[in-house]
Amino acid sequence: MWWLAVLVAIVAAVGAYATWTVTRVERLHRRARTSESALLNKLDDRAETVLKFVGQPGFDEVVALALSVVAVPAETQRQRELREYAENDLTRALRELHPDPAWADDLEAANRRVALARQIHTDFVRDAVASRSLPMAVLLRLHHRLPRPQYWDIEDPVQ
């Protein structure tokens, strides 16, 4: 009868580990999705900050790029790629502007928030992707059930 107790203990341990693994993988994927939403919000906020300076000298190209950023949603893979290109163009255009005390602080703060949100998203995606290769996650085929989180290939606005 002792072997039955050992068998029950082993099954309970494996079940607990499987439950822990599934919970961890799902939680990391949820955090990656949430951080992506936060990143998109910060990118939209930066574009809206740029749009506040419509009519300022030298802002014509930057405002047009900001409008293209706001106009592109990130729902499909193609839209996501277009949004990445638009964000990178906006970042490059903002770097080329000569700082003016009237707007430099607002844009610098918006760029810092974007950089922080991008770093947090990158960290969560890295952790979620790594969790997909855990032995129990592979055994339970979680990589088929959960969509793979994606990195945002955008330039760091703070340099």
Side-chain angles (χ1 to χ4, degrees), residues 77-149:
Q77 184 62 31
R78 179 69 180 139
Q79 290 173 334
R80 184 186 176 97
E81 290 171 4
L82 291 173
R83 177 76 184 254
E84 287 175 353
Y85 293 137
E87 291 292 349
N88 288 332
D89 290 343
L90 178 59
T91 299
R92 284 186 216 105
L94 288 173
R95 280 189 197 136
E96 293 175 4
L97 288 176
H98 297 295
D100 183 345
W103 49 262
D105 291 339
D106 289 342
L107 284 180
E108 186 177 321
N111 280 333
R112 277 195 310 270
R113 287 189 295 272
V114 166
L116 181 62
R118 180 182 166 269
Q119 183 61 50
I120 290 170
H121 175 66
T122 300
D123 291 346
F124 280 134
V125 169
R126 182 197 61 224
D127 293 345
V129 168
S131 74
R132 295 167 72 89
S133 63
L134 292 171
M136 188 59 74
V138 172
L139 182 66
L140 296 174
R141 301 174 56 87
L142 294 178
H143 60 285
H144 290 299
R145 195 178 77 184
L146 297 169
R148 181 184 169 99

Side-chain angles (χ1 to χ4, degrees), residues 37-81:
S37 297
L39 174 61
L40 287 171
N41 286 337
K42 294 305 172 193
L43 291 169
D44 289 342
D45 290 347
R46 180 178 70 164
E48 289 174 13
T49 300
V50 169
L51 292 176
K52 288 194 290 188
F53 302 110
V54 171
Q56 295 272 343
F59 266 86
D60 298 335
E61 179 187 355
V62 177
V63 167
L65 289 169
L67 285 172
S68 71
V69 163
V70 173
V72 178
E75 295 165 0
T76 66
Q77 184 62 31
R78 179 69 180 139
Q79 290 173 334
R80 184 186 176 97
E81 290 171 4

